Amino acid sequence: MFKFEFCVDIKGLVEPMDCQSADIYANVLEDAVNEGLQCVDGSTICGGSLGGQGFTNENTGTTPDIAAAANTITTICGVVTVEDEVCTDKDCMMQHYNNITMTLSNYVDDGRFTGRIQLDARNRLPPVPELQKVTGQAGTFSSMSLLLPSTISGDINWRYTQGSDLTTCIEKAAFLPSETPYETLYECCQQHFQWDVTKCCLNGGGCPEANIAGIEEGVDRYYAKWSEGELCAAKTSFESWETSYTTLAECCDAHFKNYNYDACMNPSV
């Protein structure tokens, strides 16, 4: 078994109003990708700005502006897991990987991906008008972050590289020629997330060189809540796009240093 990430650009994809819409869009797109892969199983996750919300929200029922999105380009990404019962060595798996990515690339470039999306959007019950005119952009399919099993890659030398996660680097043992490996998470964060190295380190598990600990699951961290009586609050679960702090003082210093700092440090809730 091996897995890899992929991305492709979609033209005309309207932004979903809620997780219900996002789930519908994602399932149509997933089915179209699966058609190119000749596979039948998959799953989707409601994330990004909709992460952590319920299936519906205050925008549910709002008519999306399809015309306004007609010329927009959106990059969608996913992860493919291949259960290979034939290959038992690295060369064979690499060939299988190359065959799959070439198949998917051709599937996007020759228009079959677009045709499948539009067909599924029309035939689905109820239909999905938001996807009936979208197009997969030729030449935009890319694959990355190939991960082979440790039994194939040999002694595991875990290193870091930039993947599809927009907040941090990923750790892996096998790399494509197009990928640059880094010995430490800190090196990778400095190279690819220089605008927010701290957040990259937090989300990636920590950078001891910079004295930045990773986010521990189940441990309270603070975030800016902006509520009267509780300007900063604590919780244990964060989306990847959220900024969190180890202490209340760090949160207050970051957001309220010149505005209600004392009130932030002494919540009344």
Side-chain angles (χ1 to χ4, degrees), residues 35-46:
E35 178 69 18
L37 287 169
Q38 296 297 305
C39 68
V40 296
D41 193 22
S43 62
T44 61
I45 297 174
C46 185

Side-chain angles (χ1 to χ4, degrees), residues 256-268:
F256 304 100
K257 187 174 183 179
N258 299 313
Y259 166 72
N260 274 354
Y261 182 81
D262 290 340
C264 180
M265 289 296 295
N266 297 279
S268 58

Side-chain angles (χ1 to χ4, degrees), residues 196-237:
D196 200 342
V197 173
T198 298
K199 186 173 183 179
C200 175
C201 288
L202 286 170
N203 291 335
C207 299
E209 308 94 322
N211 198 30
I212 301 173
I215 297 176
E216 296 184 54
E217 188 174 349
V219 175
D220 277 345
R221 293 182 62 83
Y222 292 86
Y223 68 102
K225 187 177 181 182
W226 300 90
S227 296
E228 185 176 353
E230 193 177 25
L231 296 176
C232 283
K235 61 180 183 177
T236 59
S237 179

Side-chain angles (χ1 to χ4, degrees), residues 1-264:
M1 183 177 75
F2 62 90
K3 65 179 181 179
F4 63 91
E5 300 175 15
F6 73 91
C7 292
V8 64
D9 288 351
I10 304 291
K11 184 177 181 180
L13 183 61
V14 67
E15 184 175 348
M17 295 296 182
D18 52 26
C19 279
Q20 178 176 254
S21 299
D23 185 64
I24 292 171
Y25 299 172
N27 276 285
V28 172
L29 294 169
E30 179 199 341
D31 287 345
V33 172
N34 287 345
E35 178 69 18
L37 287 169
Q38 296 297 305
C39 68
V40 296
D41 193 22
S43 62
T44 61
I45 297 174
C46 185
S49 61
L50 295 175
Q53 295 186 15
F55 210 51
T56 60
N57 59 26
E58 66 277 6
N59 295 319
T60 300
T62 304
T63 302
D65 193 343
I66 299 174
N71 293 315
T72 61
I73 301 294
T74 302
T75 300
I76 65 168
C77 299
V79 178
V80 175
T81 299
V82 180
E83 296 183 358
D84 195 327
E85 298 179 356
V86 177
C87 290
T88 58
D89 61 79
K90 182 177 181 180
D91 289 341
C92 180
M93 286 193 175
M94 286 298 298
Q95 184 60 52
H96 194 175
Y97 162 76
N98 289 331
N99 290 341
I100 292 173
T101 54
M102 181 61 70
T103 296
L104 281 175
S105 182
N106 291 337
Y107 180 62
V108 172
D109 292 348
D110 64 19
R112 285 177 293 153
F113 179 51
T114 293
R116 184 67 190 196
I117 295 172
Q118 296 179 357
L119 178 65
D120 288 351
R122 290 193 300 270
N123 292 343
R124 190 183 188 279
L125 295 177
V128 189
E130 300 95 311
L131 300 182
Q132 291 177 11
K133 292 186 178 180
V134 302
T135 56
Q137 299 297 283
T140 64
F141 175 85
S142 61
S143 59
M144 64 212 79
S145 303
L146 173 64
L147 182 60
L148 299 175
S150 59
T151 53
I152 296 296
S153 57
D155 294 335
I156 301 178
N157 179 21
W158 293 102
R159 290 180 290 175
Y160 297 86
T161 193
Q162 184 182 30
S164 59
D165 191 326
L166 300 181
T167 67
T168 190
C169 296
I170 62 171
E171 188 179 23
K172 54 185 290 190
F175 296 85
L176 297 173
S178 59
E179 295 175 321
T180 301
Y182 299 88
E183 293 298 325
T184 67
L185 174 63
Y186 189 51
E187 291 177 20
C188 187
C189 290
Q190 286 181 306
Q191 184 65 33
H192 296 288
F193 297 92
Q194 59 267 38
W195 60 89
D196 200 342
V197 173
T198 298
K199 186 173 183 179
C200 175
C201 288
L202 286 170
N203 291 335
C207 299
E209 308 94 322
N211 198 30
I212 301 173
I215 297 176
E216 296 184 54
E217 188 174 349
V219 175
D220 277 345
R221 293 182 62 83
Y222 292 86
Y223 68 102
K225 187 177 181 182
W226 300 90
S227 296
E228 185 176 353
E230 193 177 25
L231 296 176
C232 283
K235 61 180 183 177
T236 59
S237 179
F238 291 85
E239 297 295 330
S240 61
W241 49 268
E242 291 183 290
T243 300
S244 64
Y245 304 91
T246 304
T247 66
L248 175 63
E250 288 179 1
C251 181
C252 292
D253 190 63
H255 296 279
F256 304 100
K257 187 174 183 179
N258 299 313
Y259 166 72
N260 274 354
Y261 182 81
D262 290 340
C264 180

